Amino acid sequence: GGTNVSGGNAGGGGGGAGGAGQQSSPTAWAANGGTGLQYTITGITTYYGGGGHGGNNSGYSNTSYNGGGGASYGDTTRGGNGQDGTGGGGGGAGSAVAGGSGGSGIAVIRYQIGGGENAAAKATGGFISYSGGKTIHQFLSSGTFTITDPSLTSVDYLVVGAGGGGSNGDRGGGGGAGALRYGTSLPLNPSPGVYPVTVGGGGGTSSPQGSDGGSSIFSTLTSPGG
């Protein structure tokens, strides 16, 4: 998370996949969360792993920032929730109002497909789509990735843990984003070819500091929650 100004009672934003949360200032109580990172692995350009805003008393809206939760506004509005399916952190509270919940995580698995009649999935599990000559399995909840074609021996992946909940404290800090792991050519064994997938749930705000997000897991990869 970002640091607070000297003597200030503003919360810094939570850390994101693209960097630390921003520092608060005497004139702007809420600091932006750390920026997320953009990927097009699902066929749509999306920010993943944005940190939650810090809480503020006035001057900021509840708008999200690169996938993270928005800041609280005034004394009567709770922090914004992190965006589900991106691992964004929840926004911090304003004055004694609840922070936002962290966004749930995601696991995306992608591989090359053939053209014409061969454009078919080589595995089951998740929401299956096709884009740019690739088959895409998108898991927004836990499930199982099962290889049905023995020619599938490696995949591209994006695995993001869930975001942490924003603080309930007076002008509290925003929750951190879930860990993000992206890569290509991850080796898989088609026999037996059964890979459980865990998608973490976003952190809540039942305690003053907010709770951790859940981990997302695929194969040998574990991305902890924020």
Side-chain angles (χ1 to χ4, degrees):
T3 57
N4 292 332
V5 296
S6 177
N9 57 358
Q22 296 180 0
Q23 179 174 312
S24 57
S25 75
T27 58
W29 291 115
N32 286 335
T35 184
L37 294 176
Q38 286 186 316
Y39 290 97
T40 57
I41 189 170
T42 66
I44 300 173
T45 302
T46 303
Y47 275 107
Y48 296 95
H53 272 290
N56 71 289
N57 190 43
S58 62
Y60 280 78
S61 70
N62 221 4
T63 305
S64 63
Y65 178 74
N66 292 353
S72 305
Y73 179 80
D75 295 340
T76 59
T77 306
R78 63 177 297 141
N81 297 331
Q83 185 176 341
D84 282 336
T86 70
S95 296
V97 181
S101 298
S104 60
I106 191 172
V108 184
I109 303 159
R110 183 180 69 176
Y111 49 85
Q112 188 72 41
I113 59 175
E117 296 298 324
N118 295 321
K122 298 179 181 180
T124 61
F127 172 75
I128 300 176
S129 61
Y130 304 92
S131 179
K134 301 290 182 77
T135 300
I136 302 158
H137 295 251
Q138 187 174 176
F139 288 84
L140 296 174
S141 59
S142 299
T144 304
F145 180 79
T146 303
I147 297 174
T148 57
D149 185 332
S151 69
L152 180 59
T153 57
S154 66
V155 296
D156 303 335
Y157 62 87
L158 173 71
V159 182
V160 185
S167 170
N168 286 337
D170 186 3
R171 300 180 182 89
L180 183 154
R181 287 178 168 78
Y182 171 83
T184 60
S185 302
L186 175 72
L188 297 181
N189 187 347
S191 179
V194 179
Y195 291 87
V197 178
T198 300
V199 174
T205 59
S206 58
S207 60
Q209 72 270 23
S211 59
D212 294 347
S215 297
S216 294
I217 304 169
F218 168 64
S219 185
T220 59
L221 307 167
T222 298
S223 293

